[in-house]
């Protein structure tokens, strides 16, 4: 396995003794050249997990491994320098993640400049190559972010991450802020780069149909924990956890003809507060199938098929 997390936790102290359990004991593995989809509503802890995995957040506890090497709980400046060559992140919002005062040359070439091995001419050549590789033009390098559309900015963000030559990339909702018409183009670009460069990706999103399309396996997160994981098609077409089922039912279908025939069951209520979480199933307040024991007993992980597991009292071990 290229990436492994074991019981990873990230808690934030927010004053007055309150603890926000953003990520609360996540364990998963990602094989080399695999795309793992990570889904859930806003506030489920997906992005925080991705950042904690690659050292952009200090872990509260638990372990994270890259290629069997235990990553430091808190990254030093030299750890960031070393691991940024191996692990990169593509951010959600292509509007705010690019510095508006920097040229595209400086934005994409910044990582190489920090590494300090290449001349300015070499960096320029690399930036030129990567602009073309992501479907833009070399002469875009003298321009500024505001001169580009959302889709083009996300391509710039992808070039910025790829130019370093990482092995593992966390794609944090890379298409959520884009028009539907350009979402597929960006996903296809990421898939093509994964194939040709042998990349391993953690693809974070809330659009399950897109995650099913792009990922080999899928992990569903709710309130800081994993509630279901398995092969993407199996989780999507045979979901076991009530939360996964409701997420799929509430997800719009891209084909308007199919969408017109569907009935939607919205998930009632909001994600429960991640403050000072008690025992029992975290989804119990919103679950249409909740039973008495769900309020007091935390469900164990149960294997329902090969490589398909679920945490729910409806599936006792
Ligand atoms: Fe619903 Fe109970 Fe399963 Fe939680 S454990 S998802 S409340 S049935």
């Amino acid at each position: 396995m290229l990436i492994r997390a074991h019981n990873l936790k990230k808690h934030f102290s927010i004053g007055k003794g309150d603890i926000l359990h953003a990520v609360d004991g996540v364990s998963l593995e990602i094989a080399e050249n695999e795309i793992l989809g990570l889904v859930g509503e806003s506030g489920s802890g997906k992005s925080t997990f991705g950042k904690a995995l690659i050292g952009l957040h200090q872990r509260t506890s638990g372990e994270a491994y890259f290629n069997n090497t235990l990553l430091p709980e808190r990254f030093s400046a030299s750890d960031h320098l070393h691991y940024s060559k191996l692990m990169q992140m593509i951010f959600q919002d292509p509007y705010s993640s690019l510095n508006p005062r920097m040229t595209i040359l400086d934005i994409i070439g910044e990582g190489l400049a920090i590494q300090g091995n290449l001349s300015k001419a070499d960096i320029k050549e690399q930036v030129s190559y990567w602009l073309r590789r992501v479907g833009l033009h070399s002469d875009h390098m003298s321009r500024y972010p505001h001169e580009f559309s959302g889709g083009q900015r996300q391509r710039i963000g992808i070039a910025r991450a790829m130019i370093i030559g990482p092995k593992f990339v966390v794609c944090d909702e890379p298409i959520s802020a884009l028009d539907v018409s350009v979402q597929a183009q960006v996903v296809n670009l990421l898939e093509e780069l994964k194939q040709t460069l042998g990349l391993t990706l953690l693809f974070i999103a809330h659009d399950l149909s897109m995650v099913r399309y792009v990922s080999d396996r899928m992990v569903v997160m709710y309130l800081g924990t994993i509630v279901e994981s398995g092969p993407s098609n199996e989780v999507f077409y045979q979901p076991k956890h009530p939360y996964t089922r409701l997420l799929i039912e509430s997800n719009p279908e891209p084909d308007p003809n199919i969408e017109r025939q569907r009935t939607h069951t919205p998930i009632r209520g909001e994600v429960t507060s991640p403050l000072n979480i008690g025992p029992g199933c975290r989804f119990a307040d919103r679950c249409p199938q909740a039973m008495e024991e769900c309020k007091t007993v935390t469900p164990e992980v149960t294997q329902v098929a090969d490589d398909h597991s679920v945490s729910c009292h409806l599936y006792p071990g």
Side-chain angles (χ1 to χ4, degrees):
M1 290 294 161
L2 186 73
I3 296 292
R4 196 149 53 87
H6 179 251
N7 203 19
L8 191 153
K9 295 185 182 179
K10 177 61 190 173
H11 296 170
F12 296 96
S13 173
I14 56 167
K16 296 184 183 165
D18 284 333
I19 305 290
L20 192 148
H21 298 239
V23 180
D24 215 11
V26 168
S27 300
L28 55 77
E29 295 180 334
I30 314 177
E32 198 162 356
N33 209 19
E34 180 183 38
I35 300 182
L36 180 72
L38 182 57
V39 297
E41 293 165 284
S42 306
S44 59
K46 311 181 299 289
S47 297
T48 306
F49 172 74
K51 287 179 181 162
L53 193 59
I54 62 171
L56 297 182
H57 277 319
Q58 180 183 354
R59 301 191 301 274
T60 302
S61 63
E63 293 99 47
Y65 296 86
F66 176 87
N67 215 3
N68 293 324
T69 301
L70 178 63
L71 299 171
E73 200 166 275
R74 182 192 195 124
F75 275 43
S76 65
S78 64
D79 291 327
H80 280 299
L81 195 61
H82 173 66
Y83 283 107
S84 68
K85 284 183 267 183
L86 301 167
M87 304 189 291
Q88 279 285 322
M89 187 152 187
I90 296 166
F91 294 92
Q92 173 178 4
D93 188 350
Y95 293 91
S96 64
S97 63
L98 306 180
N99 186 333
R101 285 184 286 279
M102 288 170 72
T103 63
I104 301 309
L105 170 62
D106 290 338
I107 288 171
I108 299 178
E110 189 178 23
L112 289 180
I114 290 170
Q115 299 292 336
N117 309 323
L118 293 177
S119 67
K120 279 189 177 172
D122 287 341
I123 292 174
K124 199 169 174 182
E125 197 177 310
Q126 287 282 318
V127 171
S128 168
Y129 168 79
W130 274 101
L131 276 169
R132 285 179 275 119
R133 188 74 171 73
V134 299
L136 298 171
H137 300 288
S138 300
D139 56 12
H140 285 155
M141 72 171 82
S142 57
R143 299 190 190 175
Y144 289 86
H146 72 269
E147 298 177 64
F148 296 89
S149 67
Q152 288 175 319
R153 288 186 205 207
Q154 197 52 292
R155 288 173 189 270
I156 292 165
I158 291 169
R160 175 176 60 180
M162 298 300 171
I163 199 170
I164 312 287
K167 298 262 177 260
F168 174 57
V169 182
V170 174
C171 306
D172 184 13
E173 305 250 15
I175 54 169
S176 303
L178 304 179
D179 289 346
V180 176
S181 56
V182 293
Q183 287 184 353
Q185 295 169 15
V186 170
V187 164
N188 288 338
L189 172 63
L190 285 169
E191 253 207 321
E192 185 265 317
L193 291 170
K194 176 246 174 187
Q195 291 293 353
T196 49
L197 303 174
L199 292 171
T200 303
L201 303 180
L202 177 65
F203 190 90
I204 299 173
H206 57 258
D207 180 344
L208 269 87
S209 49
M210 193 58 88
V211 171
R212 178 192 64 80
Y213 169 73
V214 78
S215 64
D216 305 295
R217 285 186 304 127
M218 194 189 289
V219 168
V220 183
M221 253 181 106
Y222 185 75
L223 210 57
T225 61
I226 293 176
V227 297
E228 182 161 5
S229 67
S232 294
N233 277 332
E234 200 174 308
V235 172
F236 191 81
Y237 290 113
Q238 297 166 50
K240 301 290 185 233
H241 198 282
Y243 178 59
T244 313
R245 282 198 220 118
L246 287 169
L247 265 186
I248 292 166
E249 283 177 26
S250 62
N251 202 49
E253 165 62 48
D255 183 333
N257 294 325
I258 300 176
E259 176 64 13
R260 265 194 293 278
Q261 293 161 23
R262 290 183 66 205
T263 49
H264 288 288
T265 313
I267 310 177
R268 64 185 188 200
E270 301 283 319
V271 177
T272 317
S273 167
L275 290 175
N276 308 321
I277 289 169
C281 172
R282 295 173 185 215
F283 190 54
D285 288 350
R286 307 172 74 193
C287 179
Q289 291 165 275
M291 304 167 283
E292 205 46 43
E293 67 173 324
C294 303
K295 295 178 189 154
T296 51
V297 183
T298 305
E300 301 285 331
V301 179
T302 303
Q303 203 79 20
V304 288
D306 275 354
D307 200 27
H308 187 172
S309 58
V310 62
S311 296
C312 172
H313 290 306
L314 295 171
Y315 306 90

